[in-house]
Structure formats: C-alpha cells, structure tokens
Amino acid sequence: MANSSGAPNRPAHNAPVLVIGLGRFGSSTAEQLVKQGREVLAIERDRNLVQKWAPLLTHVVEADATNIDALRQLGAQEFSSAVCGVGTSIESSVLITVNLVDLGIEHLWVKAITPSHGKILTRIGANHVIYPEADAGVRAAHLVSGRMLDFIEFDDDFAIVKMYPPRETVGFTLDESKVRSKYGVTIVGVKSPGEDFTYARPETKVSARDMLIVSGHVDLLERFAARP
C-alpha cells in the first residue's frame, strides 16, 4: 500500500508489534522492542518459553500461529507490523507468513534459514526477509581483521564501519590525510574518548585514541581498514 505521493507507507514508530516465536531471534527482537517502549504481543506455542518470557514482555500468549483462526481470536489483524522468528520449521514459517499476509498485516519481517526459504517468503508476501545467522557471519568476518569495531552493510555493497584510525591518519587533519582521494571512502565522524561524537570536517584532527565512523563501498573499506 502506498500513500498519496506514491511512496510506500512506513510503520508508525510507536505502533504495537506482533512477534511470533520466542526463540533466540524472536525473543531478542521482542525484548528490544519493549525496551524501546513499544507494546508487544508475543505468540509462542512452547509453554516453557511462554512462562519464561511472560514476566518480561508486554503480552505473551500460548497459541499456534499456523492456525489463522487462533490469530484472528488474538486480534492479529489489528496489527500493522509483525515479526515472525520461527526458523526451525520452514513449513511452519511459510504457513505463519501466509496467515499474516491473509490477515492484511502490512509490514512483515520474517526470519529465513536459507536463500531458497527467503525466496519463498518473499513470493508469498513477506516484504522484509532477515537472515540472522548469515548476517552475523558476514559481520564477524569483517570484524576479525582487528581494526573494525562494528560493520553495517547495505544491499548495494555500501557499508558504514566503526574502526580504529590507520597510522597514516594519526596526528593529521582529514584535509591533510586526504583519505577520500586516496581510498575512496568518507570519514563521517570522529569519536574521541570521553567526548561526544562529532561530524568530520576538513580541519578535524585524528588522534591514536579516536574511533572513526567511515562509509563507502565494502571493498574500499576493507582496503582502508587493512592499512597499518
């Protein structure tokens, strides 16, 4: 669905969220949403997990989300956003996603185990497919080089990283080190110990204790981070 300008509608930042499945991914998502002040209805068919998470989440219900009538009775159709964290059974994941689509939930984030699983989810209407294990593996592979402290990659091979400064930038302003012209990446900001984050300017001087926020193509970032 799109608004009058033709752009797709975005979920309201404070709207309640339906979370199905309280395994590691689903429970972590639900817990973080609650910390952000969001109301969460969590649905889980494992009674032990229901009892574990009931004191920590807004609402936890024991039910089988592969049954669309059970979802209707719980008012799932009133939600605009839902997260399906069921991953151990592809069949259950697909059935739950079909149910959520049929109930008219507009924004669906669904966990996938494999690319083929994700392709099925996309074709039946999941507009956000998440690969938690694969994404974590990619992120870890970039971090083991030692210089990168955090890594976020986007679909077009563009990434933003937090990293220690290479030696050739230490003691120089960004204008002097000419990182952009040498390596094709952009230093977005600098975080000095005990000080607030500051957006990078040509006159910003880098010290050995600083952390850099750098953006650019993944390959170029890897090259820059590999500098001694």
Side-chain angles (χ1 to χ4, degrees), residues 1-10 106:
M1 185 180 295
N3 56 31
S4 58
S5 68
N9 291 327
R10 296 180 179 179
E106 188 174 0

Side-chain angles (χ1 to χ4, degrees), residues 137-158:
V138 169
R139 180 172 176 271
H142 286 285
L143 299 184
V144 295
S145 64
R147 189 177 297 281
M148 290 188 189
L149 300 170
D150 207 350
F151 177 92
I152 302 174
E153 185 174 359
F154 300 89
D155 290 339
D156 54 359
D157 290 329
F158 178 87

Side-chain angles (χ1 to χ4, degrees), residues 164-175:
Y164 294 117
R167 190 163 54 233
E168 65 194 83
T169 65
V170 175
F172 298 95
T173 66
L174 298 182
D175 184 53

